[in-house]
Amino acid sequence: MLYWIFDLDYTLYDIPKEIGFDYKLLKNDTQLNYLLEMLPFKKYIFTNGTFSHGLVCLDKMNIINNFEKIIARDTITDLKPNFSSYKKFINLANIKDKDKCVFFEDSIDNLIQAKNFGWITVLITKQNVINEHIDFQFPNIYVALNYFLSKINKNKIIY
């Protein structure tokens, strides 16, 4: 099975961190909704934010129906990149050793830990970063998802 795992803040929306977060900046995102709908298999949110924050963000962006579950800091009582947060996430999402996971994240530290679990790591940032733990890097989630969708052939990612 293939799992698509997404961080929430600054990964699924493109609000510059220096502006600061405001729920009013989140809008119905029909493009992102379409791209997520096109991805086969299960999709999860894995966030250091709270569960209620995740619900509000996904609802405002109108993408909530694309996700099986939001796994947040108050769900697992630990924060990424702590090893235990990933173990708890894996258990809650019922991910098996043979499963593939593609993790979209804006934090290098969180991707480094994900790589330790054998996940395919995708950094979302406008900066050029070179790190052996990062498999892919894209300036935003739209470019990233379009790339992966272009590589899917009969429900398999081709590298």
Side-chain angles (χ1 to χ4, degrees), residues 38 77 82 84:
M38 297 303 296
T77 65
N82 292 330
S84 63

mmCIF file with all atom_site columns, all heavy atoms in Angstrom, residues 38 77 82 84:
data_model
loop_
_atom_site.group_PDB
_atom_site.id
_atom_site.type_symbol
_atom_site.label_atom_id
_atom_site.label_alt_id
_atom_site.label_comp_id
_atom_site.label_asym_id
_atom_site.label_entity_id
_atom_site.label_seq_id
_atom_site.pdbx_PDB_ins_code
_atom_site.Cartn_x
_atom_site.Cartn_y
_atom_site.Cartn_z
_atom_site.occupancy
_atom_site.B_iso_or_equiv
_atom_site.pdbx_formal_charge
_atom_site.auth_seq_id
_atom_site.auth_comp_id
_atom_site.auth_asym_id
_atom_site.auth_atom_id
_atom_site.pdbx_PDB_model_num
ATOM 1  N N   . MET A 1 38 ? -6.964 13.264 -7.108  1.00 0.00 ? 38 MET A N   1
ATOM 2  C CA  . MET A 1 38 ? -6.355 12.435 -8.148  1.00 0.00 ? 38 MET A CA  1
ATOM 3  C C   . MET A 1 38 ? -5.353 11.418 -7.583  1.00 0.00 ? 38 MET A C   1
ATOM 4  O O   . MET A 1 38 ? -5.059 10.426 -8.239  1.00 0.00 ? 38 MET A O   1
ATOM 5  C CB  . MET A 1 38 ? -5.649 13.314 -9.188  1.00 0.00 ? 38 MET A CB  1
ATOM 6  C CG  . MET A 1 38 ? -6.589 14.235 -9.944  1.00 0.00 ? 38 MET A CG  1
ATOM 7  S SD  . MET A 1 38 ? -7.923 13.362 -10.804 1.00 0.00 ? 38 MET A SD  1
ATOM 8  C CE  . MET A 1 38 ? -6.982 12.423 -11.977 1.00 0.00 ? 38 MET A CE  1
ATOM 9  N N   . THR A 1 77 ? 0.412  13.131 21.438  1.00 0.00 ? 77 THR A N   1
ATOM 10 C CA  . THR A 1 77 ? 1.091  13.707 22.612  1.00 0.00 ? 77 THR A CA  1
ATOM 11 C C   . THR A 1 77 ? 2.607  13.791 22.450  1.00 0.00 ? 77 THR A C   1
ATOM 12 O O   . THR A 1 77 ? 3.350  13.640 23.406  1.00 0.00 ? 77 THR A O   1
ATOM 13 C CB  . THR A 1 77 ? 0.751  12.942 23.918  1.00 0.00 ? 77 THR A CB  1
ATOM 14 O OG1 . THR A 1 77 ? 1.266  11.605 23.826  1.00 0.00 ? 77 THR A OG1 1
ATOM 15 C CG2 . THR A 1 77 ? -0.747 12.936 24.185  1.00 0.00 ? 77 THR A CG2 1
ATOM 16 N N   . ASN A 1 82 ? 10.455 14.070 16.936  1.00 0.00 ? 82 ASN A N   1
ATOM 17 C CA  . ASN A 1 82 ? 10.722 12.997 17.909  1.00 0.00 ? 82 ASN A CA  1
ATOM 18 C C   . ASN A 1 82 ? 10.348 11.636 17.324  1.00 0.00 ? 82 ASN A C   1
ATOM 19 O O   . ASN A 1 82 ? 9.288  11.469 16.738  1.00 0.00 ? 82 ASN A O   1
ATOM 20 C CB  . ASN A 1 82 ? 9.946  13.228 19.209  1.00 0.00 ? 82 ASN A CB  1
ATOM 21 C CG  . ASN A 1 82 ? 10.459 14.433 19.965  1.00 0.00 ? 82 ASN A CG  1
ATOM 22 O OD1 . ASN A 1 82 ? 11.631 14.776 19.886  1.00 0.00 ? 82 ASN A OD1 1
ATOM 23 N ND2 . ASN A 1 82 ? 9.572  15.093 20.674  1.00 0.00 ? 82 ASN A ND2 1
ATOM 24 N N   . SER A 1 84 ? 9.312  8.981  18.692  1.00 0.00 ? 84 SER A N   1
ATOM 25 C CA  . SER A 1 84 ? 8.057  8.402  19.191  1.00 0.00 ? 84 SER A CA  1
ATOM 26 C C   . SER A 1 84 ? 6.834  8.951  18.461  1.00 0.00 ? 84 SER A C   1
ATOM 27 O O   . SER A 1 84 ? 5.832  8.247  18.306  1.00 0.00 ? 84 SER A O   1
ATOM 28 C CB  . SER A 1 84 ? 7.919  8.612  20.694  1.00 0.00 ? 84 SER A CB  1
ATOM 29 O OG  . SER A 1 84 ? 7.865  9.979  20.993  1.00 0.00 ? 84 SER A OG  1
#
